């Protein structure tokens, strides 16, 4: 049966040796929905995102993306990953090529796009993130915020159905955070399905349809941002929020 959920996570467990990092996660993200994931360091947030695009192999449980079970052993992992864009705390740009080439190389290698096509898509996406004028620059010539916007544009150039963000602004100087969040806000307004691990509570309050609080590998509390951030029900959520706000 077709599902309106772009992402479905059922009974997800992940262990590294004896360390059980995810202890039974159930979560759906509807098409076009923005879910922010918050929680203390080490609670499993990155591992959760990495299980969605199979950068980590779940120990147990199921993950569906766009109705395809990505945890099915027969699935074409590369085909699934193409549908999922991921942006990390560290921007991970290719340092030795220009901004444009950062966007065109993956399109050509992974999607087999012709040079002209890839270049057009690159230009369009650099415009979307406000960096058309940096097309010929090298990553080291850009600020951290600009590099992160290039990383977002690079992910978008692949035409993903879903975007996963893992603390995309945590490595940035405070004055550069706003431009990156503005790009993410634009994507949300355009209807992109997004899972965002972030400590930016103002972003969560403004943009998230739902906030999920994780602790020790479990979802402790979830709901609208106004509830989870504004009136948390659980002591652990309250404790976490008082430490970061
Ligand atoms: P968060 O993103 O919430 O800070 P993580 O998902 O990064 O948490 O990590 C949760 C736990 O999993 C931590 O104890 C971390 O040390 C452990 N962990 C994460 N990745 C690995 C790995 N590749 N190998 C072993 N342990 C890992
Ligand atoms: Mg993390």
């Amino acid at each position: 049966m077709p599902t309106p959920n772009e992402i479905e996570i059922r009974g997800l467990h992940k262990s590294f040796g004896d360390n059980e990092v995810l202890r039974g996660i159930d979560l759906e993200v509807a098409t076009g929905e923005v879910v922010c994931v918050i929680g203390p360091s080490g609670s499993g947030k990155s591992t959760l995102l990495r299980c969605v695009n199979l950068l980590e192999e779940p120990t147990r449980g199921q993950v569906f993306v766009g109705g395809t079970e990505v945890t099915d052993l027969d699935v074409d992992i590369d085909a699934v990953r193409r549908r999922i864009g991921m942006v990390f705390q560290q921007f991970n740009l290719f340092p030795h090529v220009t901004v444009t080439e950062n966007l065109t190389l993956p399109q050509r290698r992974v999607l087999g796009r012709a040079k002209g096509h890839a270049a057009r898509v690159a230009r369009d996406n650099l415009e979307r993130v406000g960096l058309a004028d940096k097309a010929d620059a090298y990553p080291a010539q850009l600020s951290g915020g600009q590099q992160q916007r290039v990383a977002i544009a690079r992910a978008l150039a692949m035409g993903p159905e879903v975007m996963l963000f893992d603390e995309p602004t945590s490595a940035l100087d405070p004055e550069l955070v706003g431009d990156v969040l503005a790009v993410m806000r634009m994507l949300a307004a355009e209807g992109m399905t997004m899972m965002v691990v972030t400590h930016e509570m103002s972003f969560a309050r403004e943009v998230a349809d739902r906030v999920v609080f994780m602790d020790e590998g479990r979802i402790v509390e979830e709901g609208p941002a106004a509830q989870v951030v504004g009136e948390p029900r659980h002591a652990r959520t309250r404790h976490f929020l008082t430490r970061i706000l």
Side-chain angles (χ1 to χ4, degrees), residues 8-14 20 22-28 48 58-64 71 217 219:
E8 285 200 24
I9 298 165
R10 297 185 192 156
L12 179 64
H13 290 252
K14 174 66 184 177
E20 192 178 24
L22 298 179
R23 304 177 177 201
I25 299 282
D26 292 283
L27 181 67
E28 298 90 45
L48 174 61
T59 307
R60 192 142 54 85
Q62 292 174 300
V63 177
F64 296 80
T71 38
I219 293 176

Side-chain angles (χ1 to χ4, degrees), residues 168-232:
T169 60
S170 294
L172 300 177
D173 292 333
E175 74 272 20
L176 303 176
V177 167
D179 288 343
V180 172
L181 293 181
V183 168
M184 293 166 63
R185 213 174 268 127
M186 169 194 80
L187 285 181
E190 289 175 4
M192 179 63 79
T193 306
M194 295 163 56
M195 277 181 80
V196 184
V197 175
T198 186
H199 293 155
E200 294 289 335
M201 287 305 124
S202 56
F203 177 84
R205 276 175 181 269
E206 249 179 82
V207 181
D209 297 298
R210 211 146 35 98
V211 172
V212 169
F213 172 69
M214 277 181 72
D215 196 16
E216 297 183 347
R218 291 195 179 87
I219 293 176
V220 173
E221 177 160 3
E222 66 177 290
Q227 182 210 304
V228 176
V229 181
E231 301 168 44

